[in-house]
Amino acid sequence: MPALDLRRLILLLTVAAALITFANSFQASYRTQRDLLMQQTLQANLTYATRQAYSTDNFLRSTQDQLAYSARLLADRLDQPAYLQGEVTRLKEQSNSFNSVFIIDARSQVLATAPSTLGLTGKTLTSIGAKALRDARKAMISDPYVGSTGNLLVVIGAPIFASDGRYLGHIAGSIYLQQKNMLASLLGSGYGSDGSYLYVVDRQGKLIYHPDASRVGEQVLGNSAVRAVVAGAEGSQRLINLKGVDMLAGYSPLKTTGWGIVAQTPTAVPLGALNGLMLQTLTYTVPLLLLTLLAVWWLSRRIAQPLWHLANIVKHWSAPHALEQLGEVRARYFEAEQLKQSIIEGLMLIQQQLGKLSRESLTDPLTGLDNRRGLRLALEQLQARQRPFSVITLDIDHFKQVNDQYGHDLGDQVLLHLAAQMRACTRSDDLICRSGGEEFVILLPDMDLDSASALGERLRERMANSPSPVGDPVTISLGVAYASAGKHNQTQVLKLADQALYQAKQQGRNRLVAAQLAEFF
């Protein structure tokens, strides 16, 4: 399997880190928001159930107070049928609190009833509610039961006592749990728009109010919230109801009757809102994530590019211009620059070692100076290191005449004489090359144009003022040029020095011309 390059590795690592971080953040945000929404929904349902329990308690107390007031008025008028009928009709129609109102005597015989269409006047009631009223002989609210009319109902009654304390009967109102009345309106108001609803259970866990009237009377103790509220607890919980629906329920008991009110919302409701919110978050986040990944791709390319160039050059380190190419690599950051310099030093060391093995290929056999190949290698090293340098090109004036007049042997002696003078005028780090015949090049690392010109002038004067092997002084002409770090390549600088040398020849020889870059380019 081929190894990944650094750019792809950086990109892959960053993308993986970004996606993992994004996924974790998104999941953590989702869970946090989900728990918060569920907790808010549970709290809202508990608050609503508590408020409805309070309102229902007040309603039941109010009905008991109405009946108790009427009971006090009826003690001396039980023998007045018209008055009794008027009172039950008033209670029935005054507030819609009751579905029916009736007055019974101590033997449970009906003295008056509203609505009169029930046809119960004069009859003796044997229902569970009537028996409970007669046995209790006090104010009470019955447990739900099926009355003689076939309705599931509860009876709220107030006892009627004579002035001497004798029990005379009850005035009572019935609330039909499966029909419209004030209690149903109270319990059913303000809930259900988002799937939430409220229901009421009696002390035995039987539904006495539900938005689905067909379920009234159903036993629901299998519901954990119902068991809790029937036991008198107030609170909230997440549960699966008897229909298998995930619900968030709040519950509160009634103080007057022991009934329990449960308000609940399908868990899917807040989660559905959360899903929409998270989807909207994604629409805002994903473009930013893509822009981030694009920026990472660009940065990874910038980071990897110098290393890729360095690796490619090292792969072809034996190429003629490897060091020159290394010098042109833009490192951009500290580690790449250090690596670049280390590679340069390493390649130079290798080339120096190889140079020792093939020194003859770099050295002029007559003078012992470097030849053109040595010159090229030295120039590449200077450019790779981005070191400034000056270059002096020179040749012997009228050297052909020396050879013709004195012979080639003395001509060679003149070349050796010039080599000795050049060594005497230069530093140990300077490079002297015989580039051909009587032509020479001197490389002066880290030396500016003025210093190089002064050195060249000293060399010219030594040659002009000292006897040569032929007896008479031999003169030279010189051209000097300067290369600043990283701005000029070797070909450009050598050409510049050659043009300066040409000017020195044109101006009469035995002179030095220092070139300025603008004069020639």
Side-chain angles (χ1 to χ4, degrees), residues 282-469:
L282 278 177
T283 60
Y284 291 132
T285 306
V286 169
L288 181 60
L289 178 63
L290 292 177
L291 287 175
T292 302
L293 293 179
L294 182 61
V296 168
W297 172 84
W298 181 81
L299 286 173
S300 66
R301 186 171 181 273
R302 298 277 291 179
I303 292 172
Q305 192 174 44
L307 302 181
W308 183 87
H309 283 308
L310 291 173
N312 190 55
I313 292 171
V314 170
K315 184 178 179 181
H316 303 91
W317 67 271
S318 59
H321 303 290
L323 281 173
E324 182 179 350
Q325 292 173 347
L326 275 172
E328 294 173 353
V329 173
R330 297 178 62 188
R332 294 197 178 96
Y333 52 94
F334 176 78
E335 289 79 3
E337 178 63 30
Q338 292 297 103
L339 180 59
K340 169 185 167 182
Q341 293 301 323
S342 298
I343 292 173
I344 289 173
E345 295 293 337
L347 286 183
M348 287 176 59
L349 181 60
I350 291 173
Q351 291 186 357
Q352 287 172 5
Q353 294 297 326
L354 291 175
K356 291 179 181 179
L357 298 176
S358 59
R359 187 61 186 169
E360 290 183 358
S361 66
L362 302 177
T363 305
D364 175 58
L366 174 64
T367 62
L369 303 176
D370 281 58
N371 58 17
R372 281 186 175 274
R373 187 175 298 174
L375 173 63
R376 184 178 69 245
L377 178 59
L379 285 169
E380 288 178 354
Q381 292 176 351
L382 287 172
Q383 187 157 346
R385 293 182 175 181
Q386 296 186 354
R387 293 177 65 184
F389 65 93
S390 292
V391 60
I392 300 175
T393 61
L394 60 103
D395 68 7
I396 300 173
D397 297 330
H398 306 295
F399 185 66
K400 185 176 182 304
Q401 295 178 11
V402 173
N403 280 332
D404 291 344
Q405 184 175 353
Y406 300 104
H408 288 283
D409 289 339
L410 280 179
D412 290 343
Q413 292 301 314
V414 170
L415 294 175
L416 290 171
H417 171 66
L418 175 57
Q421 297 301 321
M422 286 190 289
R423 288 192 182 99
C425 291
T426 55
R427 303 167 300 180
S428 59
D429 292 338
D430 298 335
L431 184 72
I432 308 170
C433 303
R434 184 183 179 192
S435 56
E438 72 278 17
E439 298 172 355
F440 295 85
V441 176
I442 303 175
L443 292 182
L444 304 168
D446 303 317
M447 185 176 289
D448 59 26
L449 185 64
D450 290 339
S451 299
S453 298
L455 186 150
E457 189 61 30
R458 288 196 303 272
L459 174 60
R460 186 194 65 78
E461 289 178 355
R462 287 176 69 100
M463 288 296 294
N465 297 323
S466 62
S468 71

Side-chain angles (χ1 to χ4, degrees), residues 108-127:
S108 298
Q109 183 177 359
V110 178
L111 302 179
T113 183
S116 58
T117 54
L118 293 176
L120 296 177
T121 303
K123 295 182 178 181
T124 299
L125 296 180
T126 59
S127 65

